[in-house]
Amino acid sequence: MKRKSGFVLRQVCGEYVIVGEGLERVNFNKMISLNATAAYLWDAVESKEFSVQTLTDMLLDKYDVDEKTAAQDAAELASKWIEAGIVEE
Amino acid sequence: MIRYFQVAGLCFSLDIPDGFFAGDGLSNYLPFECEAASGALLFSLEARRAESALSGEGKLVYDACENDFPRLTFYESAQAFRVDMAPLPELPYCASLIADKSFRSAKLSIWGSPKFSIDNAMMLLYAFASAPYAALEMHASVSVKDSKAYLFLGKSGTGKSTHSRLWRENIPGVSLLNDDNPIVRIIEGNVLCFGSPWSGKTPCYKAENYPVGAIVRIERSSVNTLKPQAPVRAYASIFSSVSAFRYIKGLSDNIHATVSRVVESVPCYVMECRPDAEAALVCYNGLTGGKL
């Protein structure tokens, strides 16, 4: 999957949100809250193809977590992003 | 004749032929008129009559076409933006604005309603050009009490103006600063709300400013309750009320920075309310600790 263009990660009072900006996102009127881990992954997959496995590997690299939990979290996050319409499959 | 105006501390000019308006077409600007500025202008606009619609140039980039709002159609070329405008989506275009990419120098050709065209062009240029100066052109109704500004935000038709009126009718010493398009600007760390020459259907054009006491999102309900708003929600609420023009690259960064700072320094609330006197009292008491 791939990040759709026009979505920008912003920090608001210490919290992370994704906002639709730019011409192609002018009718995107919601904001998506992220925790610090999700924000890290969002930044890390900018302008590249990624899969649930990519996210899992990044989680394993960066955090002290077992593979099963990482895979589960990565899958959950990816489906959330797809549902929110901010990545394309 | 070139005339100068200052809104929220930012000066701009309008070059308009003498006798352009039959009546008092610029009366809403008079409280803001100033001497020629010594420094750089926020923007300069030259307005002229045109015989008929100009033939367009550039690539269509955005068509803002919403019921009950002016229609703005944006074209972009290598050097400029062109914005064709109509008072409502169902009405024909009446003017065309051609501006440089930073919206600081623009020409307006008008073949229809001059009052709408000038106001709309000035608001648009102001919103775009002021963003780097920590200014936000808001969609809000603003009441003033004890020298503090209280901003009421909300979607069209939720009762911002009504809530403002209920404050004036039920709380002693409340006045209206602006009913539709105030300017919020951060100056030396202070979040201030300024009146403007644009106030929707209510003629209220005041060259005054007050520190912002609170920002309140108005939502219709069967009860009257005031609740504090979490920062991210407050950010979303304010962002959606800014004449943001998020589709112009670079402006979003400025607006994000200003809105974030506003959220950090001003108390933000949601007021679920009925359009009645109790709503004004519940809101006022909750915001100020008053006992009315």
Side-chain angles (χ1 to χ4, degrees), chain B residues 16-287:
Chain B
I16 190 167
D18 290 336
F20 187 87
F21 286 109
D24 59 347
L26 291 175
S27 60
N28 49 322
Y29 293 92
L30 295 182
F32 303 90
E33 191 148 19
C34 62
E35 298 290 312
S38 50
L41 290 170
L42 182 66
F43 66 82
S44 53
L45 174 65
E46 186 187 310
R48 294 292 182 263
R49 280 269 180 209
E51 289 296 308
S52 58
L54 304 180
S55 60
E57 258 180 66
K59 177 178 158 242
L60 175 68
V61 285
Y62 181 56
D63 192 6
C65 192
E66 259 182 86
N67 283 342
D68 303 326
F69 280 95
R71 180 173 187 182
L72 301 173
T73 309
F74 286 75
Y75 299 86
E76 187 172 10
S77 60
Q79 307 299 329
F81 280 108
R82 177 174 134 240
V83 188
D84 287 356
M85 45 186 80
L88 288 168
E90 60 270 27
L91 295 176
Y93 292 114
C94 61
S96 184
L97 180 76
I98 295 179
D100 72 307
K101 290 276 172 103
S102 58
F103 290 89
R104 300 193 75 127
S105 166
K107 285 187 181 182
L108 180 67
S109 302
I110 305 170
W111 59 89
S113 160
K115 178 67 184 150
F116 162 80
S117 305
I118 299 260
D119 280 343
N120 203 51
M122 299 268 258
M123 284 177 70
L124 191 148
L125 291 168
Y126 192 93
F128 281 64
S130 69
Y133 300 93
L136 304 169
E137 193 180 288
M138 303 282 300
H139 190 49
S141 179
V142 189
S143 289
V144 174
K145 165 73 175 163
D146 296 332
S147 295
K148 283 203 170 147
Y150 297 92
L151 281 78
F152 305 125
L153 318 181
K155 287 183 192 143
S156 215
T158 47
K160 304 182 283 286
S161 294
T162 303
H163 193 76
S164 250
R165 179 174 53 77
L166 290 166
W167 271 51
R168 293 199 296 288
E169 289 172 356
N170 295 288
I171 303 163
V174 171
S175 61
L176 184 70
L177 177 60
N178 188 286
D179 211 19
D180 201 48
N181 285 105
I183 310 298
V184 168
R185 190 173 172 214
I186 306 176
I187 298 178
E188 289 168 1
N190 301 307
V191 182
L192 305 173
C193 186
F194 292 77
S196 85
W198 313 291
S199 187
K201 293 184 186 107
T202 314
C204 181
Y205 314 112
K206 296 183 179 170
E208 298 171 12
N209 71 87
Y210 302 91
V212 176
I215 298 178
V216 184
R217 181 157 203 93
I218 301 292
E219 286 180 3
R220 281 193 191 184
S221 171
S222 58
V223 294
N224 290 318
T225 352
L226 181 75
K227 293 176 192 158
Q229 213 174 19
V232 171
R233 292 211 162 263
Y235 175 90
S237 164
I238 296 171
F239 208 120
S240 67
S241 302
V242 174
S243 298
F245 302 100
R246 273 183 277 168
Y247 40 92
I248 306 296
K249 286 197 171 66
L251 281 190
S252 321
D253 290 346
N254 292 317
I255 290 165
H256 162 73
T258 309
V259 174
S260 297
R261 286 173 65 197
V262 169
V263 169
E264 281 164 14
S265 17
V266 171
C268 298
Y269 295 86
V270 184
M271 178 74 203
E272 294 174 3
C273 60
R274 302 186 298 256
D276 62 12
E278 191 200 73
L281 300 178
V282 167
C283 187
Y284 171 74
N285 289 339
L287 294 178

